[in-house]
């Protein structure tokens, strides 16, 4: 949208800027969050902020907020100023501006950027998507939501060029970690749901965690354990999760057809549960 927030000011995008010596620009020395909102209600806000606090702490970036309630007010004001009902908040916090040096600056004030984006039509994802597999080239702290995303960018572009929605990353031990912009789940013949555990090898997605909670409430067994790529032929369903698209069935991995190239029953059930959970949050805020 046209109005954003930068370092204490609400500005038109065309009038907003940060220094060319910002450490986010020079070193990817920054963290970010993407938060969905529907009918001007923030979804899963506390979970996102808790992850943001953790990311800041892991990178030793001083929090720009003494009280994160002020951030919530900033975001809600921004939504109203842009008169946007549904969309996504992009929030970035950098270590600040300083002369280019790999060492942390002794004195720097974090730069804070908040931008809104419109929701995209995701109805076509209900039919399922194709994904491809690639080598996982990322660093060993994928659990930090940093803006250092070059490996993810290259993987996503590779998927696009091969006519797929997403690239699923395979580590050196031949285990599937996650997608470039999503977490991935597998469903076995006995309806056991499997996904990579939340550790330094993946970004623990907010939607991922919610889907696990919802699945357990419905008495599905959930196994948080890496799946070896050799076991792909034994699964009956697969699906992706992310803040921007929710739950998305996977119908093809490379040349392997999943669930006869149709969304599986478990995947569809979790799609419904996740949407119902979002609607419940909105209703509770009214």
């Amino acid at each position: 949208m046209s109005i954003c927030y930068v370092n204490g000011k609400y500005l038109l995008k065309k009038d907003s800027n940060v220094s060319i010596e910002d450490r986010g620009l020079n070193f990817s020395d920054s963290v970010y969050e993407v938060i969905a909102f529907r009918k001007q209600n923030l979804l899963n806000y506390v979970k996102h902020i808790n992850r943001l606090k953790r990311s800041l702490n892991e990178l030793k970036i001083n929090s720009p907020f003494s009280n994160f309630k002020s951030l919530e007010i900033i975001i809600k004001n921004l939504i109203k100023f842009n008169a946007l009902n549904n969309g996504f908040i992009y929030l970035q916090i950098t270590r600040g501006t300083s002369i280019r040096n790999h060492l942390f600056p002794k004195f720097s004030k974090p730069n804070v950027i908040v931008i809104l984006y419109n929701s995209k039509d995701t109805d076509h994802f209900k039919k399922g998507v194709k994904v491809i597999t690639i080598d996982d080239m990322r660093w060993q702290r994928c659990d930090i939501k940093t803006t250092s995303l070059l490996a993810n960018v290259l993987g996503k572009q590779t998927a696009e060029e091969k006519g797929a929605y997403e690239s699923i990353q395979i580590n050196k031990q031949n285990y599937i970690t996650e997608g470039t912009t999503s977490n991935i789940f597998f469903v076995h013949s006995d309806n056991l749901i499997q996904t990579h555990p939340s550790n330094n090898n993946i970004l623990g997605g907010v939607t991922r965690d919610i889907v696990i909670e919802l699945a357990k409430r419905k008495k599905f067994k959930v196994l948080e354990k890496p799946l070896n790529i050799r076991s792909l032929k034994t699964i009956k369903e697969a699906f992706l999760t992310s803040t921007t698209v929710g739950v998305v069935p996977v119908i093809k991995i490379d040349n392997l057809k999943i669930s006869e190239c149709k969304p599986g029953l478990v995947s569809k059930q979790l799609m419904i549960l996740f949407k119902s959970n979002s609607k419940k949050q909105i209703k509770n805020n009214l």
Side-chain angles (χ1 to χ4, degrees):
M1 291 279 86
S2 60
I3 300 175
C4 61
Y5 175 93
V6 180
N7 292 334
K9 296 180 180 179
Y10 296 97
L11 303 164
L12 292 173
K13 276 188 181 180
K14 65 182 182 68
D15 298 327
S16 61
N17 58 74
V18 293
S19 170
I20 59 172
E21 290 187 307
D22 172 64
R23 288 182 64 89
L25 174 64
N26 287 330
F27 298 108
S28 294
D29 192 2
S30 57
V31 300
Y32 77 104
E33 278 292 329
V34 178
I35 306 170
F37 62 94
R38 300 290 181 270
K39 296 183 179 180
Q40 298 197 345
N41 289 274
L42 301 176
L43 299 180
N44 310 308
Y45 180 75
V46 174
K47 290 181 181 291
H48 282 285
I49 293 306
N50 285 341
R51 185 171 64 179
L52 174 66
K53 291 177 181 178
R54 182 181 181 279
S55 294
L56 288 169
N57 183 64
E58 291 296 316
L59 291 188
K60 300 179 182 179
I61 296 176
N62 294 327
S63 172
F65 305 103
S66 57
N67 184 342
F68 274 81
K69 184 65 179 178
S70 59
L71 175 59
E72 184 177 357
I73 294 170
I74 289 167
I75 291 172
K76 288 182 176 179
N77 284 339
L78 200 57
I79 292 172
K80 291 179 180 178
F81 293 159
N82 285 283
L84 189 62
N85 286 324
N86 305 311
F88 299 97
I89 298 132
Y90 177 82
L91 163 66
Q92 182 175 338
I93 300 174
T94 83
R95 195 178 303 278
T97 301
S98 66
I99 295 174
R100 192 179 190 283
N101 188 326
H102 282 67
L103 295 174
F104 292 174
K106 291 184 178 179
F107 305 101
S108 67
K109 182 179 179 181
N111 288 320
V112 181
I113 301 165
V114 188
I115 308 170
L116 300 191
Y117 292 99
N118 276 308
S119 295
K120 295 181 180 180
D121 181 16
T122 59
D123 283 347
H124 56 292
F125 288 144
K126 294 178 182 178
K127 297 179 180 179
V129 297
K130 175 186 175 182
V131 304
I132 60 172
T133 57
I134 61 171
D135 292 335
D136 195 338
M137 300 182 291
R138 301 170 302 163
W139 73 322
Q140 295 180 13
R141 290 304 309 274
C142 299
D143 55 309
I144 304 173
K145 199 167 177 67
T146 171
T147 57
S148 182
L149 295 171
L150 186 56
N152 302 62
V153 168
L154 292 172
K156 194 71 172 182
Q157 182 63 29
T158 298
E160 171 71 17
E161 291 171 0
K162 293 189 175 183
Y165 168 72
E166 176 67 297
S167 286
I168 303 303
Q169 300 173 102
I170 315 297
N171 66 19
K172 292 179 181 179
Q173 291 74 41
N174 288 321
Y175 286 106
I176 297 168
T177 53
E178 61 182 343
T180 62
T181 60
S182 61
N183 294 115
I184 186 163
F185 290 74
F186 304 99
V187 183
H188 296 276
S189 57
D190 58 356
N191 285 346
L192 171 70
I193 299 171
Q194 183 174 353
T195 192
H196 197 288
S198 185
N199 57 24
N200 64 295
N201 293 314
I202 71 164
L203 178 67
V206 168
T207 302
R208 169 196 179 276
D209 293 347
I210 291 171
V211 166
I212 289 175
E213 291 173 13
L214 294 172
K216 288 181 177 179
R217 281 186 215 165
K218 286 295 180 180
K219 307 302 180 184
F220 284 108
K221 290 183 179 180
V222 179
L223 175 65
E224 294 187 63
K225 181 180 178 180
L227 183 79
N228 192 290
I229 191 170
R230 292 190 294 270
S231 299
L232 272 180
K233 293 181 180 180
T234 68
I235 66 167
K236 73 169 186 176
E237 295 182 41
F239 59 88
L240 308 173
T241 62
S242 76
T243 293
T244 54
V245 297
V247 180
V248 176
V250 173
I251 58 174
K252 196 173 184 182
I253 302 176
D254 293 328
N255 293 320
L256 178 66
K257 295 180 180 179
I258 308 295
S259 187
E260 297 180 346
C261 286
K262 296 178 181 179
L265 294 177
V266 174
S267 301
K268 289 193 288 187
Q269 186 173 352
L270 289 170
M271 288 171 66
I272 294 169
L273 288 172
F274 182 74
K275 286 187 176 181
S276 296
N277 183 68
S278 297
K279 289 179 180 178
K280 185 177 179 180
Q281 287 187 62
I282 295 169
K283 184 178 179 181
N284 290 340
N285 289 333
L286 295 178

